[in-house]
Each structure stands twice: as C-alpha cells, then as structure tokens.
Amino acid sequence: MAYPTVRLRRLRKTAGIRSLVRETVLTVDDFIMPIFVTHGEGIKNPIGSMPGVYHFSLDKLDEEADAIVELGLKSVIVFGVPSEKDEVGSSGYDSNGIVQQAIRRLKARHPELVVIADTCLCQFTDHGHCGMVHVHEVNGQSVGEVDNDASLALLAKTAVAQAEAGADIIAPSNMMDGFVTAIRQGLDEAGYTDVPIMSYSVKYASAFYGPFRDAVHSTPQFGDRKTYQMDPANAREALREAEADVAEGADMLMVKPALAYMDIIRTLKEQYDLPVVAYNVSGEYSMVKAAAMQGWIDERAVVSEMLLGMKRAGADLIITYFAKDMASWLK
C-alpha cells in the first residue's frame, strides 16, 4: 500500500504521539564524565581549548565529584597530569601516582560511583607516546620506535596499580597489539579477576584529539601515532581489532572518536554481543562549544542530536565532556 492510504506523518502529528513511538532515548545512565586530575592544591584551572572543562587538584576533586553525583551521573573516567614524566611513564604505575590518588579519593567519597581508569602511558612519558620507545640508528640518525612487546608489561603493571587503588573498570587506550591479553593476565594474577576491561578496541589516528593532548600535555615529541592507531580510511580493519580484543577477554568494546565513525559503531554493535562504548572526543566537544559561543548554533539541540545519533548507531555508553550538561538538561 502507498499514499494516500499510507500517511507517515500521522505518527508525527503531536509531541505526545512522537514521544510514544520514539525509538531511541537518551538517559543519564548513558554517559561517562571524563575528569582531569593534577598535583597541587586549590587548583581548578580551565583548559583553554575545552571551555567548561578543568584540571582539578585532589582537594578540588571532591567538589567536582559531588556535582557529578548530584546530577545523577553514575560513572567517571580519570585522566592524570603528573608533575614529572620520564621515558617509561613510571608515574603511571606508581601506587601513589596522581591517577591512583584520585581513584582512592573518589571511591572514598562516593563508593557507588563507577570509577574507570584510562590505562595508557602517553600522559606519563616524556616523549608523549603510548608505550616504551626503542631508539636505533638509521643512516646515522637516531630514530625512535614504539616497542610493542616491551610496553605490554608496563601497561599491565599500570592496570594492576589502578585496580589496587580501587578502579572499578580498566580502560586501556594504548592500541598495542596484545594489550588486552597482557592486562587481563596481570589483573588475574594480582587477584582482580572481577575487574572488567573496557577496551579502546577501535581507536583511530584522528585529528579530533588536539584539545585532549593540550589537556594532558601528551603531544608526541617526535613522529606521530599512526604506526599503532588506526587509519581513518579503514573499516574492515576495525573488525579485526575488535575480534582480537574479544578473543583476548575484553568485556566492553570502544570506538574512538565517535562522530565521524558512526558506521564503525554500528558494525561493532551488529557483529558482537558485548557492550559498545563511543568516545565523544575533545575535538568534537570543542567545535560545538566554539560555535555555540559565537551564537551560530543551539548548543543544547545540537549536543542532544549528536549524542542521540551515537546511541542510535549502537552505542550502549558514551564518554562525553557534555555529560554534566546533558544530565542537567535531562533533569
């Protein structure tokens, strides 16, 4: 049958009818709020390229955690900005590192809050790469190369230190081959068999990360990350990455970034029965904020539509710097 018997506009006639037949709904339970923690006291410093996002010292973390919980958000992901960096990122796996201190403080104040630890070395290495760097000579020039296998032990050590501090979920973002196996083995051997891994399974070498790298001072000091993060042109490769992580014991699969990779989110949702996480990254956030500040767009409407699109594509959870805004708007 077709028009005039079929009139698709009948189910759009009123707000009440549209609400009844709405297929996808955002709730406060969908969102994970990123937090940036740093050393010092009395620090709540704005991140210039990310309006509304701050660096917090531990004493200021309580205020932020209280606000997050009051809005009804259930989860945060913690990123650390250490006072010192070295070639192996040792402050990342230091039991008294900034991330570990933040996890303990968050769990002590709000035990019910799900605290996720980003597990990578780029924030803690002086070279800004996500693993150990092996330097060798090529035509008389010193060339740095990220050493995949040597990095795995340090990443596992970092994950265990985070679990010991009380992290509910480990979220490794380093994109080394075999990182889920190494971290799962490390956690299990340390007695943390029940701590799940939210794997950054499909992480692209994206231009959308710029503001984040400003926030954690992790811009690579040489080269780029294209030898271990994915080529934005590739989709089938995403299935191979996800398949490897599933086989190695990942409990959740993440796609990062989200906005330009809706097809990848949908593909993972259709292929695997694990929860799919979308990371609405810093560049996606900052573009919307900048346009809204100029009065060019309706921020609330654009953010709601953007995040709705990610969920419609298949995301079960969304890491987003808009989490607090969305929670407030939904209230």
Side-chain angles (χ1 to χ4, degrees):
M1 291 187 293
Y3 174 86
T5 303
V6 175
R7 290 181 181 266
L8 299 177
R9 288 178 55 188
R10 291 182 187 128
L11 297 184
R12 304 173 195 150
K13 186 176 180 180
T14 68
I17 292 174
R18 292 193 297 272
S19 179
L20 283 174
V21 299
R22 187 162 292 139
E23 300 172 21
T24 308
V25 178
L26 291 171
T27 76
V28 71
D29 293 340
D30 296 328
F31 307 122
I32 298 167
M33 181 69 195
I35 298 178
F36 296 98
V37 291
T38 190
H39 293 281
E41 293 184 357
I43 295 172
K44 182 182 177 182
N45 291 340
I47 298 170
S49 57
M50 300 177 69
V53 180
Y54 299 85
H55 288 125
F56 294 98
S57 55
L58 293 172
D59 58 316
K60 287 291 187 177
L61 189 56
D62 294 347
E63 177 185 326
E64 178 69 358
D66 291 349
I68 287 168
V69 171
E70 178 64 25
L71 284 167
L73 292 165
K74 306 297 195 304
S75 180
V76 297
I77 183 167
V78 180
F79 299 94
V81 182
S83 56
E84 295 182 0
K85 303 188 179 194
D86 58 32
E87 62 182 6
V88 295
S90 61
S91 58
Y93 48 84
D94 184 343
S95 61
N96 201 38
I98 187 61
V99 169
Q100 285 79 352
Q101 290 186 61
I103 293 168
R104 286 193 289 268
R105 190 163 188 130
L106 287 165
K107 293 303 292 185
R109 190 170 183 87
H110 294 288
E112 75 287 356
L113 186 67
V114 177
V115 177
I116 304 167
D118 177 81
T119 307
C120 193
L121 298 178
C122 65
Q123 301 150 59
F124 308 102
T125 56
D126 53 14
H127 47 72
H129 280 284
C130 301
M132 288 184 63
V133 169
H134 172 68
V135 179
H136 57 279
E137 296 292 322
V138 177
N139 297 325
Q141 299 289 323
S142 295
V143 177
E145 183 177 334
V146 177
D147 189 328
N148 187 96
D149 293 5
S151 302
L152 296 178
L154 297 184
L155 292 164
K157 193 174 179 180
T158 301
V160 170
Q162 293 168 338
E164 287 175 343
D168 297 291
I169 297 172
I170 297 300
S173 60
N174 54 86
M175 287 297 284
M176 298 293 113
D177 290 339
F179 70 89
V180 175
T181 290
I183 288 172
R184 184 72 271 160
Q185 183 177 346
L187 290 171
D188 290 354
E189 290 177 353
Y192 298 104
T193 56
D194 292 336
V195 174
I197 295 175
M198 177 191 287
S199 174
Y200 286 66
S201 297
V202 183
K203 183 178 180 180
Y204 285 90
S206 172
F208 285 98
Y209 301 150
F212 176 89
R213 291 177 181 174
D214 289 343
V216 295
H217 312 140
S218 66
T219 301
Q221 297 303 299
F222 66 88
D224 53 42
R225 295 176 180 157
K226 293 180 180 179
T227 61
Y228 48 100
Q229 294 179 359
M230 278 184 54
D231 185 338
N234 294 353
R236 294 193 303 273
E237 184 183 359
L239 285 173
R240 299 198 295 274
E241 286 283 359
E243 183 178 8
D245 287 0
V246 171
E248 292 175 21
D251 300 283
M252 293 177 256
L253 305 175
M254 189 190 303
V255 177
K256 180 182 180 182
L259 195 57
Y261 300 91
M262 298 282 203
D263 59 323
I264 307 301
I265 296 171
R266 169 53 57 186
T267 297
L268 262 60
K269 185 68 172 181
E270 291 175 344
Q271 293 291 324
Y272 303 103
D273 58 5
L274 296 180
V276 175
V277 185
Y279 199 141
N280 176 212
V281 299
S282 60
E284 298 166 354
Y285 172 86
S286 296
M287 288 191 303
V288 172
K289 283 289 185 182
M293 291 168 67
Q294 292 295 323
W296 296 337
I297 61 171
D298 179 332
E299 180 181 351
R300 178 173 176 173
V302 167
V303 172
S304 299
E305 183 176 342
M306 181 170 64
L307 298 182
L308 190 69
M310 294 171 193
K311 188 172 182 182
R312 190 186 65 247
D316 299 290
L317 297 168
I318 303 171
I319 301 173
T320 177
Y321 303 95
F322 289 113
K324 287 171 67 180
D325 290 334
M326 279 302 305
S328 177
W329 294 331
L330 289 170
K331 274 195 170 186

